[in-house]
Structure formats: C-alpha cells, structure tokens
Amino acid sequence: MKTMKLGATSLEVPVVAVGCMRINSLDQAEAEHFVQAALEEGANFFDHADIYGAGACEEIFANAIQMNALIRENIILQSKCGIRHGFFDFSKEHILNSVDGILQRLRTEYLDVLLLHRPDALVEPEEVAEAFDQLHSSGKVRHFGVSNQNPMQIQLLQKYVKQPIVANQLQLSITNANMISAGINVNMENHSAVNRDGSVLDFCRLNDITIQPWSPFQYGFFEGVFLGSDKFPELNQAIDGIAAKYGVSNTTIAVAWLLRHPAQMQPIIGTMNIERLKDCVKAGDIRLTREEWYEIYRAAGNILP
C-alpha cells in the first residue's frame, strides 16, 4: 500500500488506517482472518480506543494477530483514551492508568501513537503535559495526537505539552465536509460558509498535523452510509460513473476522494469486511482529477459560490 509520513514524524504509515471499533463483532476465527488479510494488503496501521467494546476490542485484536515481539515491530498501533461513561477525563491519573490498561490488553510494551479522545471541558493542560512526559520518557508512547479538537484547543495543549501533536482524528466524508466547504464559501451568506471548527483543516496543514477522517462513508452522525443510499441519488450516480471509468468499486472512489485532498489525510476505515478493506486499499493507487473531485463534491449537495 502507498505510505506517507505521520505528521512531522519520520514514522512511515499506510495512507489508510484500519479502525478496530467493530472487531468485537467477529468471532475468533473471523478476527484472525481479517487481521491477516489486512497485513497482506500492507494495512498494518491499526486504530483502537479503550472505549471500544469497553476494552474488549483491543484484547480481541491482540489474540487475533497472535501478538509477539516480532509481530509488534511490523505493525503500527494507535489507541485513544479520555472517554468515560458519561463524561470525559484528561486528568494525569486517568491518562496514565488508561495507557497501562491499553498496553496490557494489546500485549505490547508501547504505543506508536496515543490520541486524546474528544475534548475534555475540564482539561488542565499542565496535567496532560506531565502525563505525556512520563509516558514518553518511559517508552510507553512514542507519539501523541488528539481527536475532534479545534485549533485553539490544540494550541492550548501545545503551550504546555513538549511533544508535537502529530494527528487529529476528525469526522469527514463527502457528505460531512464542512471543514472543506467553509473554506470554499468564505465571505458568503450561506449555510456552507459557517466556520464550525476554527479552520481546523488549514491549521492542521500549517502545523504538520495529519488529519485522520473517521466515518468516511457515513452521513450525519452515524445515520447511515451514503454509498448506495436512495437519499443521495446524484452522488451515487457520480461516484458510480467515475468508479466505472477506473474499473474499481464505489468504495474505492469514496476513499480516493479524501486522499485526493492535498492535506495528505489518513482515513480510518471501520469495515470488518475483507473485500471492502481491499477496495479501500486500492484508493491509494488512484488520483482523481480536479474535475472528478469537484463533480463528486457538488453531487453530494455541496455548493460552489
């Protein structure tokens, strides 16, 4: 699979990451088969969170991949912490305890990347900095990032945190593209011009922070998949036509649309279907033309001023 640098690091990662939120929907044999198929495709970047399956997803993954020292050095592990039942918690104690639990469940001594999972309104960045320092100096975490944070929240963290923020996981798809639309509709009096995230797309590009789009096939907030949906006839017609031109699936084109953006994003693919995973991986070999990218953008109902 095509690779890229993660943020400003020297870490070479696949352009598509494998999200493991749903791996607990597979039995042991299915999980082993899926993980092996991902590795055969070069998809060796696995995204986790301690909240997924209340930790069960990390355990299932470790068993499925039959974790050992040799395997560990050939994969990239990312996990997230900070979501608790009914509240968020970026306290030093919780971050440190969460990482210990993650490492135990994944049967590894270190994480390549740790993300803070959604913003905590009660965050004390000094505590986060202390936790990051301890995790980094002990070798438990090599790189750090955030999820669903805007530029000012990241800057507040970076005032205290020594380590660079290398990734920001954000909801982004063809139908959930406000961070793109707001930049296109600057100074316009329309719905798309509303800047809801503080220009996070441009901020991440300026600061070498890799955007990791989550739910790249969803519309709304987990309302459904736009591919094949009768709610988006024009969009599916456009995607299907371009897919036929390249001889690939509509899934491939939906991912290729994200990869075409010059921000060099790394989509998080949540499918547990091996054929769909293979279709996602193929997107790394396709570069949509500018005309094709905008055709898909407009077909989703996005407007140009």
Side-chain angles (χ1 to χ4, degrees):
M1 189 198 299
K2 186 178 177 182
T3 62
M4 57 181 277
K5 299 290 185 184
L6 185 69
T9 75
S10 60
L11 186 62
E12 197 79 19
V13 300
V15 295
V16 170
V18 180
C20 295
M21 185 175 73
R22 298 183 180 89
I23 199 169
N24 60 343
S25 66
L26 307 180
D27 63 30
Q28 181 66 27
E30 290 170 336
E32 291 178 3
H33 187 39
F34 175 81
V35 171
Q36 185 58 41
L39 293 176
E40 290 173 357
E41 293 295 319
N44 68 337
F45 187 110
F46 298 96
D47 174 73
H48 295 270
D50 59 1
I51 196 69
Y52 296 163
C57 291
E58 291 169 329
E59 292 179 340
I60 292 169
F61 172 83
N63 289 331
I65 204 168
Q66 300 175 22
M67 187 71 77
N68 59 44
L70 180 60
I71 288 173
R72 179 65 187 93
E73 290 305 309
N74 288 287
I75 62 174
I76 302 165
L77 290 179
Q78 172 175 283
S79 195
K80 303 180 285 293
C81 71
I83 297 180
R84 303 184 72 174
H85 295 292
F87 63 102
F88 303 130
D89 189 349
F90 287 177
S91 65
K92 176 182 177 181
E93 180 182 16
H94 181 68
I95 293 172
L96 294 177
N97 288 339
S98 294
V99 170
D100 284 342
I102 290 167
L103 297 180
Q104 182 178 8
R105 290 188 295 271
L106 287 173
R107 304 211 303 266
T108 181
E109 296 181 352
Y110 69 96
L111 286 175
D112 294 284
V113 190
L114 174 71
L115 306 185
L116 297 178
H117 205 174
R118 290 198 171 275
D120 174 14
L122 304 182
V123 62
E124 297 181 56
E126 299 94 333
E127 282 199 32
V128 175
E130 290 177 8
F132 282 11
D133 281 345
Q134 191 168 323
L135 291 169
H136 191 256
S137 63
S138 66
K140 291 181 179 181
V141 178
R142 296 184 174 178
H143 304 287
F144 299 87
V146 296
S147 173
N148 298 98
Q149 293 205 14
N150 65 35
M152 294 299 286
Q153 291 168 325
I154 295 173
Q155 286 182 320
L156 177 61
L157 275 180
Q158 290 277 217
K159 179 180 178 181
Y160 300 91
V161 171
K162 299 174 185 175
Q163 298 79 15
I165 300 299
V166 303
N168 190 5
Q169 211 167 101
L170 298 159
Q171 184 178 17
L172 177 63
S173 71
I174 297 168
T175 54
N176 287 52
N178 179 257
M179 71 174 71
I180 294 174
S181 298
I184 293 176
N185 289 273
V186 171
N187 201 39
M188 301 301 295
E189 294 185 4
N190 58 42
H191 177 74
S192 297
V194 178
N195 186 340
R196 294 180 171 84
D197 49 37
S199 300
V200 69
L201 174 60
D202 295 325
F203 176 84
C204 288
R205 293 182 72 181
L206 285 167
N207 290 276
D208 296 320
I209 299 172
T210 295
I211 291 176
Q212 296 178 327
W214 57 267
S215 289
F217 307 111
Q218 292 275 339
Y219 64 89
F221 187 69
F222 292 110
E223 293 178 37
V225 176
F226 58 79
L227 291 175
S229 171
D230 57 11
K231 292 186 178 181
F232 300 94
E234 292 183 18
L235 175 59
N236 279 285
Q237 183 178 0
I239 291 175
D240 290 347
I242 294 171
K245 171 185 173 182
Y246 286 95
V248 297
S249 73
N250 57 359
T251 295
T252 302
I253 295 302
V255 178
W257 187 84
L258 292 170
L259 296 181
R260 176 60 178 85
H261 196 280
Q264 294 186 317
M265 304 177 194
Q266 184 194 31
I268 308 291
I269 306 302
T271 185
M272 291 291 109
N273 181 289
I274 291 174
E275 292 308 312
R276 287 198 197 98
L277 176 64
K278 291 180 179 179
D279 286 341
C280 293
V281 169
K282 291 177 184 176
D285 297 323
I286 292 178
R287 180 177 172 83
L288 297 177
T289 66
R290 191 177 296 266
E291 292 79 6
E292 291 165 343
W293 190 92
Y294 274 103
E295 178 186 352
I296 292 171
Y297 176 81
R298 295 195 314 273
N302 299 304
I303 62 172
L304 297 181

